[in-house]
Amino acid sequence: MCYKYILLCIILLASCFGTSAESFTADGLVYEITGDGTCMLTSAGDVSGTFTVPAAVTYDNTVYTVTAVGQRAFADCRSLEALLIPGSVTEVGRETARGCTSLKIVELGDGLSQLGDEAFTGCTALEKVVLSDLLTEVPRRCFFGDAALQEVYLGKGTAAVGTQAFDGCAALVSVVCMAAEPPSTGAYAFDPAVLKAAVLTVPGGCRAAYAAKPVWGDFRSIVENNYGTATVPFHLYLPSGRVTSRATGCQSRKPLSVRTGVCNPTPRSWIR
């Protein structure tokens, strides 16, 4: 009986304190092992310029797939200008890039299904945002105060836009929401100025449903996209640098790479 009591105490203590996850460093970045062959980027230090989150890293002769970016991993990296997150990442944590005041470009991979509160709050230089079809909620204050933000693309799976998600984003001129059902909205999901000035683009045949929904119906301009695809931001990488451009009807929003030596691409170079 005494033995069973001691064993029970040990189990309870273990459950209270838990076991600390193993962390490791690779190429100056700190990761935490989250499962069998998976890890989370927990700290990137004070990175600058364009930074690409690795899709996989090797530690102790084991390859780990990077499936998450942790809380405040890039917070206050004030010289970070572009953050590229691969499709392997399904979760981006709370305040991940909060206060990155030079951040202009964010590439969120097509695998993203969970985004933390205030993930990009205070990114005052951010201009465009494209969210995955797998993401169901734009969380509370996710892009709060991003004063330069002009274009937002919400994927087909969007079911909710949280409180103040885009409040303080008064420069927004284009909001594309490809969800067939108008998402629910929290208080001040959009800045009041946006409802007057921005164009809301919705799937074909859905204008009436959006017009009848609180907040969405307050957009003065609601248009339908009758082509099945939408005009979304994309980024073209050239050997000499980075060019931001646009594409219409692209099914994939992944970056394009052009090898050294390619000159004068024609206007139809990337038509499928």
Side-chain angles (χ1 to χ4, degrees), residues 70-90:
Q71 178 174 323
R72 297 186 61 82
F74 294 93
D76 298 318
C77 290
R78 301 191 185 279
S79 296
L80 180 63
E81 298 176 357
L83 178 59
L84 314 178
I85 298 178
S88 63
V89 173
T90 61

Side-chain angles (χ1 to χ4, degrees), residues 92-122:
V92 169
R94 178 184 174 92
E95 300 181 354
T96 291
R98 181 188 176 104
C100 295
T101 52
S102 297
L103 186 62
K104 292 183 178 182
I105 296 167
V106 171
E107 290 278 359
L108 298 171
D110 290 341
L112 184 67
S113 60
Q114 186 174 345
L115 195 55
D117 290 355
E118 303 184 33
F120 297 97
T121 286

Side-chain angles (χ1 to χ4, degrees), residues 172-177 192-202 206-208 210-211 215-225:
L172 268 175
V173 294
S174 174
V175 177
V176 177
C177 186
V194 171
L195 303 177
K196 298 177 181 179
V199 176
L200 172 62
T201 302
V202 301
C206 297
R207 187 183 186 283
Y210 275 83
V215 179
W216 299 107
D218 294 333
F219 278 85
R220 288 189 179 178
S221 179
I222 305 177
V223 299
E224 291 186 352
N225 166 26

Side-chain angles (χ1 to χ4, degrees), residues 136-139 154 157-166 177 179 181-190 210 213-216:
T136 58
E137 179 184 8
V138 184
L154 306 178
T158 308
V161 179
T163 298
Q164 294 187 296
F166 295 102
C177 186
E181 293 288 332
S184 64
T185 50
Y188 301 103
F190 293 96
Y210 275 83
K213 190 82 170 181
V215 179
W216 299 107

Side-chain angles (χ1 to χ4, degrees), residues 122-137:
C123 296
T124 52
L126 188 61
E127 298 175 349
K128 301 183 179 88
V129 169
V130 178
L131 299 179
S132 163
D133 286 338
L134 300 179
L135 188 69
T136 58
E137 179 184 8

Side-chain angles (χ1 to χ4, degrees), residues 22 24 26 30-42 53-59 61-70 85-91 111:
E22 182 178 0
F24 65 91
V30 182
Y31 298 89
E32 182 179 292
I33 297 173
T34 55
D36 186 15
T38 62
C39 68
M40 171 174 62
L41 173 62
T42 59
V53 175
V57 292
T58 301
Y59 169 68
N61 296 320
T62 301
V63 177
Y64 292 92
T65 301
V66 181
T67 59
V69 177
I85 298 178
S88 63
V89 173
T90 61
E91 179 182 354

